[in-house]
Amino acid sequence: MKKLLKDNILLLLSIFFILLLQLFFISSTKVSGESMNYTLQHNDRSLVLKSNSAKRFDIIIFNSNKLTGEDKQYVKRIIGLPGETVCYKKKQLFINNKQVSEPFDLKNRVHTGDFSYKLNRNEFFVLGDNRGNSIDSRHFGCINKRDIVGKMIYRFFPLHSIGKIN
């Protein structure tokens, strides 16, 4: 037994390190649906950095059970941060009454619609990039910081799409 342990110590340490990483720091996820098209596609697989801190335009994973009653995780893009007023008028995003450019490809921008939300402390406003086919904060309201699982950081499948997620 000692010889077996000695011969495989590197393998055992590697397994322990990977399990530790997955338990506390990184997980993987599979995208289901088309709400994040063009940025993410149905069945994309990505790494998620586990953390509930996020900034504008990060793509996050969050628990939706308090919002929708479903025990699911959603993938959406952060648009509004705690304490801000988020407004969409005539296909343009405004944060605290200042126009903000969205630096990513949107599908169906015309379907975003006009709205205005005032976010409380620890609340985030999220939208899907495929605005005409996304259930998001326009439907279920703002998400709480404690429901954020993490930030999507790297796509590893499909192989032709491998890379950092913006």
Side-chain angles (χ1 to χ4, degrees), residues 27-33 40-48 61 73-75 152 156-157:
S27 67
S28 64
T29 191
K30 178 181 171 186
V31 175
S32 178
L40 299 169
Q41 306 297 317
H42 179 68
N43 287 331
D44 279 2
R45 295 175 192 265
S46 302
L47 293 177
V48 175
I61 308 294
Q73 290 184 338
Y74 279 51
V75 177
M152 294 185 84
F156 61 88
F157 184 85

Side-chain angles (χ1 to χ4, degrees), residues 24-38:
F24 294 108
F25 302 106
I26 294 177
S27 67
S28 64
T29 191
K30 178 181 171 186
V31 175
S32 178
E34 299 175 353
S35 72
M36 287 301 294
N37 287 2
Y38 297 109

Side-chain angles (χ1 to χ4, degrees), residues 45-59:
R45 295 175 192 265
S46 302
L47 293 177
V48 175
L49 179 62
K50 293 182 179 182
S51 170
N52 66 359
S53 66
K55 61 184 190 303
R56 187 176 335 280
F57 302 136
D58 282 351
I59 297 174

Side-chain angles (χ1 to χ4, degrees), residues 62-76:
F62 63 94
N63 295 314
S64 69
N65 51 353
K66 292 177 187 157
L67 301 167
T68 65
E70 299 175 294
D71 190 20
K72 290 174 62 173
Q73 290 184 338
Y74 279 51
V75 177
K76 302 294 176 199

Side-chain angles (χ1 to χ4, degrees), residues 19-127:
L19 290 173
L20 190 65
L21 270 177
Q22 190 170 20
L23 185 61
F24 294 108
F25 302 106
I26 294 177
S27 67
S28 64
T29 191
K30 178 181 171 186
V31 175
S32 178
E34 299 175 353
S35 72
M36 287 301 294
N37 287 2
Y38 297 109
T39 309
L40 299 169
Q41 306 297 317
H42 179 68
N43 287 331
D44 279 2
R45 295 175 192 265
S46 302
L47 293 177
V48 175
L49 179 62
K50 293 182 179 182
S51 170
N52 66 359
S53 66
K55 61 184 190 303
R56 187 176 335 280
F57 302 136
D58 282 351
I59 297 174
I60 62 164
I61 308 294
F62 63 94
N63 295 314
S64 69
N65 51 353
K66 292 177 187 157
L67 301 167
T68 65
E70 299 175 294
D71 190 20
K72 290 174 62 173
Q73 290 184 338
Y74 279 51
V75 177
K76 302 294 176 199
R77 187 181 297 274
I78 290 182
I79 302 297
L81 303 173
E84 293 181 332
T85 298
V86 177
C87 183
Y88 221 91
K89 289 186 240 178
K90 298 179 185 175
K91 303 179 197 173
Q92 294 295 312
L93 172 64
F94 293 85
I95 304 291
N96 297 330
N97 295 318
K98 293 181 184 168
Q99 188 172 344
V100 175
S101 172
E102 294 175 281
F104 45 88
D105 287 336
L106 285 175
K107 189 171 182 183
N108 297 325
R109 183 186 301 262
V110 71
H111 296 291
T112 304
D114 291 350
F115 59 80
S116 182
Y117 285 88
K118 171 72 174 133
L119 283 68
N120 293 320
R121 215 177 86 197
N122 293 323
E123 286 186 333
F124 292 84
F125 189 87
V126 296
L127 293 173

